[in-house]
């Protein structure tokens, strides 16, 4: 079990500049709306014990220099439970955030809804969900930091409903609290680490690293830009284009070819990853997150200040979704969809790196809904208003690769190919012997220069920069 920080201690982890928002609350009936005997006395004891008069503290803060609305739960006040007055304060905090165009950071530690207020307490979850939705529609980011414990409706609204979800090590995290779980439940399943493995949260962060981590996320998510991300330079050892379709396939499949990690390291000065599809799955073959671009990219934004995508940390904020050369799992497609939709809502350009032999097609992938996951990604790419840029860095295997490609703004490296199907599989479908796969690759016109001639990609990038389309040949 993690150390249980008070609300003020949690706030101090993030900010030295916190100003509590004024509280405007109406009259409160004796012993609450249900006239629950002893409720007033319980509240008085909670105030004496914690120094707070409600289970949540809301205020304006600066986190690594970035202003934000900060919400901190006090678990020592009736288990951090949500009641009507909690709902009043949360609604006021969200309203303030929208009025002042500020992100919202929630430091959650709650056992759920307050029993002494019955269904009126439970309906505060609807109230919170509406405020979160209004803030999302306003294009403002929401971050959650899960403390010990984060259970019940607080997890299912402020926690799991945030754009980026972080957790402190050892925190209990789950919809079921410790006293209402099945008697044979594995306690390890209700931890931050287990939720990370299940794709429900993005990272587990040590307390001493929390301020820097949240500050980086706020910097990344509050730097919109209308300029598309330029494609990265090619990292291969040669700019020479492949002579045949089969040589293009062999170059793309070479274990020596640079992969997504190398491209991301070269393109970004700092980055932060999101993890998981929020449906119980993760895929290490799909890297997603946000980063500050390096080099000339930081000079391509127009103007300066908050509207240009530039930030004091250096470079422009750009979202990325990158395949690593493996067959992409359904969770990978769902994570990329989540990334693109978040970037679109916040006005942050997206860079995608395509490199996969295709979508995973095993029985488990089918059970996990690979077709639906690819369809969702196609839809997210097709409807995105923020600019998308794609670089094909290796294999482009069928629809599992195309789903991540930006229509009209896809580029290729000399070490890449794109095909409607792998040449070996095409030969098999056409009932050709295996030795005819190389010739089939030529017929499919999979080389980078073929893709340019067909209008599938805009151009080929060299080791220096994107080039104008070469003549077909």
């Amino acid at each position: 079990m993690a150390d249980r920080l008070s609300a003020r201690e949690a706030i101090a982890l993030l900010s030295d500049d916190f100003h509590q928002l004024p509280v405007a609350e109406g009259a409160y009936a004796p012993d609450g709306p249900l006239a629950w005997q002893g409720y007033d006395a319980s509240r008085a004891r909670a105030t004496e014990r914690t120094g707070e008069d409600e289970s949540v503290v809301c205020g304006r803060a600066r986190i690594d220099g970035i202003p934000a609305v900060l919400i901190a739960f006090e678990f020592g006040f009736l288990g951090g439970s949500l009641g009507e007055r909690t709902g009043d304060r949360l609604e006021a905090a969200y309203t303030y955030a929208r009025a002042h165009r500020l992100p919202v950071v929630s430091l959650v530690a709650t056992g759920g809804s307050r029993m002494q207020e019955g269904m009126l307490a439970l309906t505060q979850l609807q109230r919170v969900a509406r405020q979160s939705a209004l803030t999302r529609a306003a294009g403002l980011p929401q971050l959650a930091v899960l403390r010990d414990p984060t259970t019940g409706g607080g997890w299912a609204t402020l926690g799991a409903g945030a754009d980026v979800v972080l957790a402190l090590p050892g925190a209990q995290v789950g919809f079921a609290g410790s006293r209402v779980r099945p008697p044979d439940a594995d306690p390890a399943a209700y931890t931050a680490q287990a939720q990370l493995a299940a794709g429900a949260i993005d990272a587990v962060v040590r307390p001493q690293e929390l301020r820097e981590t949240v500050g980086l996320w706020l910097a990344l998510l509050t730097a919109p830009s209308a300029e598309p991300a330029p494609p990265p330079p090619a990292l291969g050892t040669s700019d020479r284009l492949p002579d045949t379709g089969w040589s293009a396939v062999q170059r793309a499949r070479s274990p020596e070819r640079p992969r997504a990690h190398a491209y991301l390291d070269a393109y970004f000065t700092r980055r932060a990853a999101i993890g998981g599809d929020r449906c119980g799955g993760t895929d290490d073959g799909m890297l997603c997150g946000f980063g500050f671009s390096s080099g000339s990219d930081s000079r391509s934004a127009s103007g300066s200040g908050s509207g240009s995508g530039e930030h004091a940390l250096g470079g422009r904020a750009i979202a990325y979704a990158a395949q690593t050369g493996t067959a992409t799992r359904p969770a990978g497609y769902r994570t990329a969809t989540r990334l693109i939709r978040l970037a679109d809502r916040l006005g942050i350009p997206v860079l995608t790196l395509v490199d996969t032999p295709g979508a995973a097609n095993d029985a488990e992938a089918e059970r996990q809904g690979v077709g639906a996951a690819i369809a969702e990604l196609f839809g997210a790419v097709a409807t995105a208003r923020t600019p998308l840029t794609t670089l094909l860095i290796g294999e482009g295997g069928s629809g599992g690769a195309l789903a991540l490609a930006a229509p009209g703004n896809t580029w290729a490296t000399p070490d890449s190919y794109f095909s409607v199907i792998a040449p070996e599989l095409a030969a098999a479908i056409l009932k050709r012997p295996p030795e005819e796969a190389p010739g089939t690759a030529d017929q499919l016109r999979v080389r980078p220069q073929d893709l340019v001639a067909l209008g599938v990609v805009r151009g080929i990038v060299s080791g220096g920069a994107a080039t104008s389309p070469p003549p077909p040949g």
Side-chain angles (χ1 to χ4, degrees):
M1 182 182 297
D3 292 334
R4 287 186 174 169
L5 303 172
S6 70
R8 304 287 173 170
E9 289 171 335
I11 291 169
L13 283 178
L14 291 183
S15 177
D16 299 319
D17 181 20
F18 176 80
H19 302 280
Q20 191 165 342
L21 296 178
V23 177
E25 296 170 342
Y28 203 78
D31 281 333
L34 304 185
W36 186 288
Q37 186 174 359
Y39 181 35
D40 283 349
S42 295
R43 289 177 54 89
R45 288 193 297 271
T47 296
E48 183 178 0
R49 182 170 57 251
T50 64
E52 309 294 348
D53 58 2
E54 191 43 77
S55 61
V56 69
V57 178
C58 305
R60 178 171 178 146
R62 297 188 73 85
I63 302 172
D64 259 11
I66 300 172
V69 167
L70 197 51
I71 295 169
F73 279 76
E74 176 52 70
F75 187 77
F77 192 101
L78 301 180
S81 56
L82 280 77
E84 282 190 291
R85 285 188 175 177
T86 321
D88 290 341
R89 298 189 183 193
L90 293 173
E91 181 172 317
Y94 274 105
T95 301
Y96 183 92
R98 292 194 299 274
H100 294 83
R101 303 294 303 166
L102 296 175
V104 177
V105 178
S106 299
L107 306 174
V108 188
T110 173
S113 300
R114 194 168 298 170
M115 292 180 295
Q116 296 93 331
E117 297 187 24
M119 279 302 299
L120 290 177
L122 190 64
T123 59
Q124 301 308 305
L125 302 181
Q126 295 174 319
R127 192 177 179 187
V128 171
R130 173 173 170 75
Q131 292 303 314
S132 177
L134 290 172
T135 303
R136 186 176 299 113
L140 299 170
Q142 300 173 66
L143 281 76
V145 177
L146 312 182
R147 297 153 51 211
D148 186 55
T150 297
T151 62
W155 164 230
T157 52
L158 287 160
D163 299 318
V164 174
V165 185
L166 311 175
L168 295 179
Q172 297 179 66
V173 180
F175 186 67
S178 59
R179 297 185 182 182
V180 297
R181 298 170 192 159
D184 58 348
D186 179 7
Y190 301 86
T191 63
Q193 286 80 357
Q195 298 291 355
L196 177 66
I201 68 176
D202 295 297
V204 174
V205 182
R206 294 187 300 171
Q208 60 268 36
E209 298 169 351
L210 193 60
R211 183 178 301 206
E212 180 183 4
T213 301
V214 173
L216 175 59
W217 270 115
L218 290 178
L220 288 167
L221 300 183
T222 57
S225 172
E227 296 291 328
L235 297 181
T237 58
S238 173
D239 288 337
R240 185 176 181 275
L241 297 177
D243 296 326
T244 67
W246 189 241
S247 65
V249 172
Q250 291 178 310
R251 282 175 63 169
R253 292 176 178 174
S254 169
E256 284 76 36
R257 173 183 56 79
R259 306 287 166 145
H261 285 94
Y263 275 91
L264 295 176
D265 286 345
Y267 196 81
F268 294 106
T269 56
R270 296 184 71 186
R271 65 183 191 267
I274 67 169
D277 62 358
R278 298 297 186 262
C279 299
T282 61
D283 179 8
D284 292 338
M286 181 74 81
L287 309 177
C288 295
F290 293 77
F292 285 115
S293 60
S294 60
S296 60
D297 182 33
S298 64
R299 298 189 293 272
S300 64
S302 59
S304 61
S306 61
S308 70
E310 303 250 8
H311 192 271
L313 290 179
R316 294 172 56 209
I318 293 174
Y320 63 86
Q323 292 167 318
T324 65
T326 60
T328 305
R329 310 293 305 175
Y333 290 115
R334 293 190 179 102
T335 305
T337 297
R338 174 186 159 217
L339 181 280
I340 290 171
R341 287 177 173 163
L342 174 57
D344 188 44
R345 179 157 45 83
L346 300 178
I348 297 171
V350 179
L351 170 70
T352 66
L353 302 179
V354 171
D355 185 11
T356 180
N361 58 7
D362 54 89
E364 186 60 27
E366 295 294 346
R367 283 191 287 266
Q368 293 171 357
V370 64
I374 294 173
E376 284 292 303
L377 181 54
F378 267 120
V381 169
T383 58
R385 297 160 297 177
T386 197
L388 273 65
T389 302
T390 296
L391 180 62
L392 175 67
I393 64 172
E395 291 196 82
S398 194
L402 187 66
L404 203 60
N409 197 25
T410 292
W411 303 77
T413 69
D415 290 332
S416 66
Y417 81 91
F418 223 140
S419 181
V420 63
I421 191 172
E424 299 93 332
L425 298 179
I429 291 172
L430 296 171
K431 299 182 179 180
R432 296 175 177 177
E435 58 267 23
E436 292 192 24
T440 303
D442 286 332
Q443 286 183 288
L444 289 169
R445 299 187 66 186
V446 301
R447 299 176 303 169
Q449 59 266 46
D450 296 326
L451 301 174
V452 173
L454 292 169
V456 175
V457 303
R458 285 185 60 180
I460 301 169
V461 300
S462 67
T467 66
S468 58

